[in-house]
Amino acid sequence: MPKESDRIEQAPVVTPIVQSTTFTFPDTAALIDYQKGKRKGYIYTRYSNPTIEAVENRIAAMEGADGSLLFSSGMAAISSACMTFLKSGDEIVSSYPVYGGTAKLFDDLLKKYGIKIKYFQASDPEGPERMISSGTRILYLETPTNPNLQIIDLKRAARIARKRKIISIVDSTFATPINQKPLKFGIDMVIHSVTKFMGGHSDIMGGAVSSSEKHLRKIYDTRKLLGGCIDPHQAFLLDRGLRTLSIRMERHNLNALKIAGFLETVDKVKRVIYPGLDSHPQHKLAYEQLEGFGGMVSFDLGSRKRASKFADSLKVIQNAVSLGGVESLVSIPIWTSQYGLKKSDLDRSGVTPGLIRLSIGLEDPEELIGDIDQALKKAFRA
Ligand code: PLP
């Protein structure tokens, strides 16, 4: 029998889940060194944890960032990152549309703390230049936008933010680091709801912020205080999703392009929005900025009644909010992401009553096209 001391030193192939809230120190001297910042370690999972840190390092490498921080949701990432750099009297200049939760954060919660918000249309390349003032602290961008898939010129936006010495933040959830790397264009900070494509299986909630060490150190302190840390088990599931992200995105991109192409052949479909189509008003910019055009496709069926009939007639594609999973989902924005908005805000978001948003999954594209085709026939018969 070999002795215990003869044991081979081994490592697991998969990042282990360290499901512990707290960590021991060998002695008080080590604890003091940790507290004084002389030695690295773990003290409490709200601060950091080996599983969470391993996944953060993987995301940082994907983004080309100094580091990343994980959060309990995309909204925890967005609110913590923004609140780190804002004080009463500051202003955010944001593209529009942005995810509904982000708009409510800016319009309702942050306004209560004396923070001002100004919006510009995402498709307007001169928007940031026009809107930024001496009080602007953050230029907040979401691209591609939800649900009308507009594209913001990141190189241009980063240039103006740097010139005016304000922090630029991009919510790149729809693109993932496979399709878009905002930091490469000079953007300061990239945020994802990893609940979507990065997790990829519609079974975890999470958010990520990637940036320079200087910014992350400050956001780390905010995360500790607001407490929006991710759970180690969620981080483990996220890591599993990240291992297949590039292959999944390849298929999402391919399937969505095929479906967008099919929809363009259907005369009765009024408007097909997909950055990969020549007909997209910003196709040239999308081609230059994105490595792939993504898994989201929107189109207009002209009326609320037809949109409902279409969604209700699908057999493979499921009617549910959210996006980015292996399964295809349909959503009617006026009843989901843009529910309750005034007509003027719907117009500003490019959301019409007949607009349909598809999150295209990894199924056989021919099966998806068949499903869409039969549902369109029923919708136009209604
Ligand atoms: N950003 C975008 C573009 C989103 O679509 C969402 C959610 O749908 C969020 C942020 C918020 O993410 P979470 O639901 O993980 O908080």
Side-chain angles (χ1 to χ4, degrees):
M1 269 298 265
K3 293 193 294 292
E4 194 50 36
S5 56
D6 294 330
R7 186 181 285 277
I8 300 165
E9 227 179 83
Q10 290 175 294
V13 172
V14 172
T15 309
I17 310 174
V18 182
Q19 196 76 42
S20 180
T21 54
T22 189
F23 298 87
T24 60
F25 285 86
D27 49 37
T28 308
L31 169 64
I32 294 169
D33 278 350
Y34 169 83
Q35 293 289 37
K36 288 187 170 172
K38 288 186 187 160
R39 290 180 71 187
K40 279 176 91 75
Y42 304 101
I43 185 164
Y44 190 53
T45 282
R46 174 155 50 79
Y47 293 26
S48 195
N49 164 294
T51 311
I52 297 171
E53 210 172 83
V55 187
E56 287 172 341
N57 290 340
R58 192 192 288 277
I59 294 174
M62 292 171 107
E63 293 287 6
D66 285 355
S68 296
L69 289 170
L70 281 170
F71 291 83
S72 54
S73 68
M75 282 313 299
I78 294 166
S79 53
S80 300
C82 289
M83 286 169 83
T84 299
F85 299 100
L86 293 166
K87 61 177 185 331
S88 179
D90 285 346
E91 179 182 86
I92 305 172
V93 166
S94 171
S95 57
Y96 198 88
V98 281
Y99 168 63
T102 309
K104 284 203 177 82
L105 171 77
F106 293 165
D107 294 339
D108 300 340
L109 190 68
L110 294 186
K111 226 173 224 176
K112 277 205 319 199
Y113 296 95
I115 290 150
K116 292 175 219 136
I117 169 78
K118 282 199 306 208
Y119 291 105
F120 65 92
Q121 261 303 327
S123 58
D124 174 5
E126 283 157 20
E129 277 101 324
R130 223 184 26 258
M131 295 307 230
I132 289 170
S133 72
S134 57
T136 308
R137 182 83 177 109
I138 289 177
L139 175 64
Y140 188 92
L141 312 165
E142 188 179 303
T143 183
T145 60
N146 178 17
N148 60 345
L149 306 172
Q150 294 176 38
I151 310 292
I152 298 169
D153 185 337
L154 292 180
K155 208 189 284 175
R156 184 170 177 166
R159 207 182 311 124
I160 168 97
R162 295 241 151 154
K163 199 164 129 207
R164 303 293 294 268
K165 297 193 169 37
I166 61 174
I167 295 170
S168 52
I169 302 180
V170 171
D171 179 338
S172 191
T173 298
F174 271 34
T176 82
I178 304 300
N179 281 349
Q180 178 170 268
K181 289 190 172 54
L183 304 184
K184 191 174 87 178
F185 298 106
I187 293 292
D188 293 316
M189 205 173 293
V190 56
I191 297 187
H192 293 278
S193 165
V194 300
T195 311
K196 317 296 180 193
F197 290 100
M198 288 174 76
H201 296 76
S202 305
D203 55 5
I204 61 159
M205 299 291 303
V209 179
S210 305
S211 187
S212 64
E213 214 180 309
K214 185 178 101 184
H215 290 320
L216 287 177
R217 231 178 286 131
K218 294 181 184 154
I219 302 171
Y220 172 79
D221 288 338
T222 308
R223 185 179 68 175
K224 269 186 357 191
L225 296 178
L226 294 183
C229 57
I230 197 167
D231 172 80
H233 191 243
Q234 301 290 293
F236 166 82
L237 289 172
L238 169 61
D239 198 45
R240 184 148 90 172
L242 293 177
R243 284 160 173 249
T244 56
L245 182 63
S246 64
I247 293 170
R248 285 189 287 108
M249 287 316 295
E250 221 174 87
R251 180 69 177 250
H252 283 297
N253 292 340
L254 197 72
N255 277 4
L257 184 62
K258 280 191 180 166
I259 283 152
F262 164 73
L263 285 165
E264 273 208 320
T265 66
V266 183
D267 282 346
K268 285 178 178 162
V269 174
K270 275 174 122 185
R271 186 168 57 113
V272 184
I273 315 169
Y274 186 66
L277 294 176
D278 284 342
S279 59
H280 189 287
Q282 294 161 298
H283 176 63
K284 188 169 170 289
L285 173 61
Y287 185 80
E288 285 161 9
Q289 188 163 289
L290 296 164
E291 303 289 327
F293 299 112
M296 305 302 294
V297 178
S298 295
F299 58 100
D300 197 344
L301 290 181
S303 80
R304 185 177 297 227
K305 189 172 154 210
R306 242 178 253 141
S308 307
K309 184 69 186 170
F310 173 77
D312 294 345
S313 304
L314 289 165
K315 294 188 167 82
V316 178
I317 302 175
Q318 302 172 78
N319 190 346
V321 298
S322 201
L323 56 115
V326 296
E327 64 289 308
S328 294
L329 299 177
V330 63
S331 159
I332 303 174
I334 55 157
W335 299 125
T336 55
S337 51
Q338 265 72 19
Y339 179 65
L341 288 191
K342 295 193 298 263
K343 166 93 172 59
S344 55
D345 286 334
L346 288 175
D347 291 347
R348 258 193 334 146
S349 308
V351 173
T352 49
L355 194 73
I356 295 281
R357 188 194 79 180
L358 296 176
S359 172
I360 300 298
L362 308 184
E363 302 92 337
D364 176 349
E366 295 311 318
E367 189 186 13
L368 294 175
I369 287 172
D371 195 31
I372 292 168
D373 192 27
Q374 63 82 25
L376 281 176
K377 287 188 176 114
K378 288 186 183 133
F380 283 112
R381 231 180 279 133

